[in-house]
Amino acid sequence: VQLQASGGGLVQAGGSLSLSCAPSGRTFSSSTVGWFRQAPGKEREFVAAIRYNGGTTYYADSVKGRFTISGDSAKNTVYLQMNSLKPEDTAVYYCAAKLARSIILSQIRAQGSYDSWGQGTLVTVSS
């Protein structure tokens, strides 16, 4: 199942962007959905995740308090609201999902726990 990610762009430091992620032909119901990012020359890292049905959220320390992940069941979409953006947030952002399954807490930050991925959307934060 392919995930459609959108919303990236260029923003100045201190600004905001919102990313969206939706599955093609499936629902996010009962899924765990996450966002990861990969900066130039670096490995892909966990950003945030949400248990879609219950709404429990998890964040990397580097984005806690600035980013918010949320789900909209009416639109079958997960959002990543990014505020107070910093140049170090510049990266390609990927949404990922374990569809119709829950991921145990100890594995929720691991890329290998997710089996569906989006194509990535570029976020560039200028200083």
Side-chain angles (χ1 to χ4, degrees), residues 6-107:
S6 61
L10 173 64
V11 65
Q12 289 189 329
S16 299
L17 277 177
S18 180
L19 306 182
S20 301
C21 177
S24 297
R26 290 284 299 272
T27 175
F28 272 147
S29 180
S30 301
S31 302
T32 303
V33 183
W35 286 95
F36 292 78
R37 67 185 181 186
Q38 187 167 19
K42 295 188 176 181
E43 294 187 352
R44 190 154 51 183
E45 64 177 2
F46 171 80
V47 175
I50 184 169
R51 299 193 189 279
Y52 194 74
N53 280 22
T56 304
T57 57
Y58 308 87
Y59 297 94
D61 288 343
S62 58
V63 306
K64 201 173 295 183
R66 299 187 299 122
F67 291 12
T68 302
I69 187 170
S70 62
D72 186 333
S73 58
K75 296 183 178 180
N76 196 31
T77 300
V78 167
Y79 301 96
L80 184 68
Q81 177 65 40
M82 305 183 294
N83 298 329
S84 302
L85 283 161
K86 305 175 181 179
E88 51 263 43
D89 294 318
T90 295
V92 177
Y93 283 72
Y94 298 89
C95 66
K98 182 73 171 181
L99 293 172
R101 294 289 187 272
S102 183
I103 300 173
I104 61 173
L105 180 57
S106 63
Q107 297 300 313

